[in-house]
Amino acid sequence: MFKKAKVDSEPVIEVRNLVKNFGGRRVLNGVNLKIYKGEVMVIMGGSGCGKSTLLRHIIGILKPDSGQVLIEGKDINSLKARELDKIRLKIGMLFQSGGLLDYMTIKENIALPLTEHTNLDKNVIDIIVNLKLSMVNMRGMGHLLPSEISGGMKKRAGLARAIAHDPSYVFYDEPTAGLDPVVAGVIDKMILDFSKKLSVTSVVVTHEMQSVFRIASRIAMLHMGEIVEVGTPRQIKASKSKLVQQFITGSPDGPISFSQLGDDYLTELTKK
Amino acid sequence: MEIKIESKDDISICRVSGEITFSTSPDLRKRLIELTDKHIKKIVIDMKNLTYIDSSGMATVVEILQKIKAIDGELKLANVPDKIKDILEMVRLKDIFDIQESEEAALASF
């Protein structure tokens, strides 16, 4: 049922030595990552490790303090606006919350990338929207507003919008977070279907371990702003890294520490 | 994308080659709508040399199917590449089209 995507030999996305600081705190600390055509690359890591920040750099929403993001060999941060637009047209993004506009129906939300970026006839756009709704098992629900559907449906509608313009690259920010296991399984299967049948390259940010091993062609483990390991699901499962093992088993004991230093705490409490 | 249209008796055969994309599908739509506007009721779209079809291409073919059904006509697809059959299946369109193995089979099926 969950057949993995085939991987090409050339990297289509490359992150080189990416550094980003927020208010003096280093969030990404020299990230290097290659993503190949047709693969499902899962970036996993704990909350606040920099996963979503990395994703936002790859799609060009955030600019790095140093380092590069190359898509199809082009550094997206040195492209002119028109060239960047061309690259962005090849990108679809599923936001954590679905990212739907509340005042538009589901159909209008899905049609948005097509009405904004193509000269297609309205009839053709309507049919495309219905095709995409069918792909996410939401036929007949296009007239509803986002407030009238469940969280799982919002994710699926967001997915339909992410693929409305047939992007080459789809980025997913926590696609199955907060969903029940069956709906999560359905979303995972859709991600795999799009990769395999539509030749889409996927980058998925998640910490849902069941999803990680179900969909990944390769997995990159991000910890404290650094990629600590990259490998196939089998390689990651067999990893000798205590950090990786702690993360995939969800053990509270290990190098990923949640304890706070007592001295800092006392200083904070007694600070005037 | 290249489009060649040939008439055989009361049947129009549309041979499409290359890639149908967001930028080329409006041309295909225009050529096919010219046929339905002329009330041609039997159309074959031969996809033998089609290398890629995107959503706009598929939507265009669906629209032509709607238009031809509205005039009690028939649309047949011939030589549909396996990759495109997969996509038609994924968007649940495979069953709404009459898909024939070859152009000859499509012509004989009217």
Side-chain angles (χ1 to χ4, degrees):
Chain A
M1 188 180 169
F2 289 96
K3 225 173 163 185
K4 295 290 176 74
K6 277 187 184 172
V7 178
D8 217 355
S9 56
E10 286 298 309
V12 283
I13 300 171
E14 196 173 347
V15 178
R16 288 184 184 164
N17 207 21
L18 202 72
V19 173
K20 182 71 177 181
N21 298 288
F22 285 133
R25 192 171 71 93
R26 184 152 289 196
V27 181
L28 297 176
N29 188 24
V31 173
N32 288 290
L33 188 62
K34 286 180 181 174
I35 298 164
Y36 295 88
K37 189 176 177 186
E39 79 173 328
V40 178
M41 165 60 83
V42 173
I43 301 169
M44 69 175 190
S47 302
C49 74
K51 302 188 297 288
S52 296
T53 304
L54 175 58
L55 196 66
R56 283 174 171 79
H57 277 88
I58 298 175
I59 63 173
I61 293 176
L62 289 175
K63 293 219 180 277
D65 293 339
S66 63
Q68 290 178 308
V69 174
L70 288 92
I71 297 184
E72 297 177 356
K74 291 172 186 162
D75 180 354
I76 58 164
N77 293 301
S78 3
L79 291 178
K80 288 180 181 161
R82 188 177 288 183
E83 288 174 307
L84 186 60
D85 280 349
K86 272 188 192 170
I87 294 279
R88 281 192 171 141
L89 277 175
K90 294 184 175 187
I91 290 174
M93 172 86 196
L94 175 65
F95 293 94
Q96 229 176 91
S97 58
L100 301 169
L101 298 173
D102 288 341
Y103 57 90
M104 285 184 171
T105 64
I106 300 303
K107 267 193 171 185
E108 288 166 343
N109 265 288
I110 298 170
L112 208 56
L114 302 169
T115 48
E116 287 205 341
H117 299 296
T118 73
N119 294 317
L120 296 175
D121 185 88
K122 190 185 170 299
N123 278 349
V124 173
I125 290 179
D126 280 349
I127 295 169
I128 294 174
V129 169
N130 284 327
L131 294 180
K132 304 295 173 176
L133 278 170
S134 173
M135 286 168 89
V136 297
N137 298 326
M138 282 187 71
R139 221 164 38 191
M141 295 180 182
H143 63 288
L144 297 171
L145 288 166
S147 58
E148 296 171 323
I149 59 175
S150 69
M153 283 181 191
K154 277 182 195 161
K155 283 272 166 89
R156 284 189 278 149
L159 194 46
R161 191 181 61 183
I163 58 162
H165 56 299
D166 293 353
S168 308
Y169 311 105
V170 183
F171 297 88
Y172 304 85
D173 194 1
E174 305 281 4
T176 56
L179 301 179
D180 73 55
V182 176
V183 177
V186 168
I187 299 273
D188 285 345
K189 188 168 184 305
M190 284 172 183
I191 294 171
L192 281 176
D193 274 353
F194 298 154
S195 288
K196 203 157 60 75
K197 294 181 181 164
L198 305 178
S199 305
V200 166
T201 303
S202 308
V203 181
V204 183
V205 157
T206 186
H207 52 219
E208 305 283 328
M209 295 318 298
Q210 203 175 4
S211 288
V212 170
F213 289 109
R214 206 150 51 190
I215 62 176
S217 315
R218 289 189 308 138
I219 299 164
M221 168 90 190
L222 189 67
H223 180 65
M224 295 179 78
E226 291 179 22
I227 300 281
V228 292
E229 192 143 344
V230 182
T232 62
R234 187 176 289 184
Q235 288 167 336
I236 292 293
K237 273 183 184 165
S239 169
K240 294 210 175 355
S241 160
K242 285 182 179 168
L243 201 141
V244 171
Q245 284 305 324
Q246 185 191 355
F247 192 79
I248 61 178
T249 58
S251 167
D253 302 316
I256 305 172
S257 172
F258 288 91
S259 62
Q260 296 174 45
L261 294 174
D263 289 350
D264 286 353
Y265 182 54
L266 286 175
T267 312
E268 273 175 35
L269 283 179
T270 53
K271 194 165 59 180
K272 284 185 182 172
Chain B
M1 181 191 69
E2 200 176 336
I3 303 163
K4 284 183 181 163
I5 293 179
E6 185 191 339
S7 293
K8 273 190 184 172
D9 301 323
D10 58 345
I11 305 171
S12 284
I13 305 158
C14 173
R15 299 188 183 100
V16 199
S17 56
E19 296 188 347
I20 309 177
T21 64
F22 282 98
S23 52
T24 60
S25 67
D27 283 345
L28 177 66
R29 180 173 185 267
K30 187 169 163 266
R31 300 287 299 273
L32 289 169
I33 285 180
E34 280 170 7
L35 299 177
T36 53
D37 282 351
K38 284 183 202 161
H39 282 251
I40 289 170
K41 291 186 174 182
K42 295 176 184 174
I43 298 177
V44 176
I45 301 177
D46 188 341
M47 298 183 166
K48 190 177 180 181
N49 295 312
L50 193 63
T51 51
Y52 176 76
I53 183 167
D54 71 6
S55 300
S56 70
M58 274 189 265
T60 299
V61 180
V62 171
E63 190 190 19
I64 297 309
L65 179 67
Q66 290 170 347
K67 285 184 183 293
I68 208 158
K69 280 195 167 174
I71 55 170
D72 291 323
E74 286 180 84
L75 173 70
K76 315 270 181 180
L77 304 184
N79 292 311
V80 182
D82 285 345
K83 178 89 183 160
I84 292 170
K85 275 186 192 164
D86 278 352
I87 298 172
L88 288 173
E89 193 160 19
M90 192 179 175
V91 293
R92 289 156 205 179
L93 285 180
K94 208 173 162 193
D95 295 337
I96 73 161
F97 286 111
D98 186 346
I99 298 174
Q100 298 289 332
E101 283 305 303
S102 64
E103 201 176 290
E104 294 71 29
L107 293 172
S109 68
F110 282 109

